[in-house]
Amino acid sequence: MTDFYREHGAKLRNIIIFTIGGTKGIDILENLTKEIREFWPEFEGFITVYYEGIFSTYQDKGVSGINLPDVDFYWKGGIIAPEFRRETLSMCSPLFEKCIIYDGGARRYEIHEHVEEVLEFWEGIRERADQIDFTELLEEKIGYPLPVSYEDWIHYNHYEKIRPADTKWLYRQEQGYVESMKNITLKELADQRIGEFTDALKKYIL
């Protein structure tokens, strides 16, 4: 795009991007900004709107031993929109999905392939349930070590500029979710998720 603008004698002040993306994108855009300023010194930079937040990608197979490096998104080290945190933690299982938003490289645009992939993940979780430390998995997924103070929670999530009235309520909600997860096993969680898929989406797996 920048080559096209240069060939036509035009200039760019900003480039606006809307994306579902990860933390690595920040380094990429910063490097591109330096390159662009070599021929447009007045270029201000990229204005980037991340849907739902800025996510990290696994760099290994994770606590579960199943996740795909550089493909599956998760929260740790990212900046997650408070609204997305609240919505995710309003239900039992979404936090533990293979990819927290299923819009990364693992997503399939054929519904039956997507369903099969999700089922394969949860069946793998069920098989490994006795070997996976559920507390470690929860800490990995939620993005910080437990227990956590309000002040540390703010720091881990980069929420310093959000109104305290909002963050204090979200912190209480989130710690309530953590407490509720003490009453369920990983195998029960996997069985529940597999049942939901096989019951509601049976027509896609036949």
Side-chain angles (χ1 to χ4, degrees):
M1 182 183 70
T2 54
D3 288 343
F4 177 84
Y5 269 68
R6 290 175 68 188
E7 289 168 3
H8 290 77
K11 294 182 179 180
L12 284 171
R13 186 176 65 183
N14 293 298
I15 296 176
I16 302 174
I17 295 176
F18 293 82
T19 182
I20 294 174
T23 53
K24 288 186 176 181
I26 297 173
D27 293 333
I28 292 171
L29 294 179
E30 286 180 345
N31 290 333
L32 282 172
T33 298
K34 293 177 183 177
E35 292 177 14
I36 293 172
R37 283 177 180 164
E38 290 180 5
F39 50 85
W40 288 325
E42 66 276 20
F43 180 71
E44 294 177 0
F46 290 86
I47 299 171
T48 310
V49 179
Y50 287 89
Y51 292 109
E52 282 112 17
I54 307 173
F55 299 87
S56 298
T57 54
Y58 278 90
Q59 296 306 297
D60 51 37
K61 292 186 177 181
V63 172
S64 69
I66 299 176
N67 289 100
L68 292 177
D70 293 319
V71 172
D72 292 332
F73 285 127
Y74 73 146
W75 286 359
K76 189 174 183 179
I79 304 175
I80 311 307
E83 297 84 356
F84 187 68
R85 292 187 81 94
R86 186 180 300 113
E87 177 67 19
T88 299
L89 300 180
S90 69
M91 298 168 281
C92 183
S93 58
L95 181 68
F96 295 92
E97 292 287 358
K98 180 173 178 286
C99 181
I100 191 62
I101 54 175
Y102 272 112
D103 280 308
R107 183 174 181 174
R108 301 293 183 267
Y109 292 96
E110 293 292 335
I111 293 177
H112 70 280
E113 291 182 9
H114 179 58
V115 171
E116 288 170 1
E117 186 177 80
V118 175
L119 278 172
E120 182 181 355
F121 167 74
W122 281 108
E123 287 166 355
I125 289 289
R126 182 168 61 183
E127 291 173 5
R128 293 170 172 81
D130 294 337
Q131 305 166 34
I132 299 171
D133 186 307
F134 196 15
T135 300
E136 287 185 17
L137 182 64
L138 177 58
E139 290 177 336
E140 175 188 78
K141 295 294 187 179
I142 209 162
Y144 50 79
L146 295 167
V148 65
S149 67
Y150 171 72
E151 291 74 18
D152 287 342
W153 179 84
I154 289 289
H155 172 72
Y156 287 129
N157 295 317
H158 310 286
Y159 285 167
E160 289 85 355
K161 294 186 179 181
I162 299 176
R163 292 191 320 158
D166 295 327
T167 54
K168 287 180 180 179
W169 180 243
L170 181 56
Y171 170 76
R172 295 188 186 104
Q173 288 181 309
E174 194 160 309
Q175 299 315 297
Y177 173 86
V178 170
E179 188 66 25
S180 71
M181 296 312 295
K182 295 178 180 179
N183 299 317
I184 187 171
T185 67
L186 189 55
K187 185 177 184 302
E188 288 173 334
L189 192 64
D191 284 336
Q192 175 182 314
R193 196 66 176 130
I194 291 168
E196 290 171 350
F197 267 86
T198 54
D199 291 343
L201 302 176
K202 188 175 294 184
K203 61 181 178 181
Y204 293 122
I205 356 177
L206 292 177

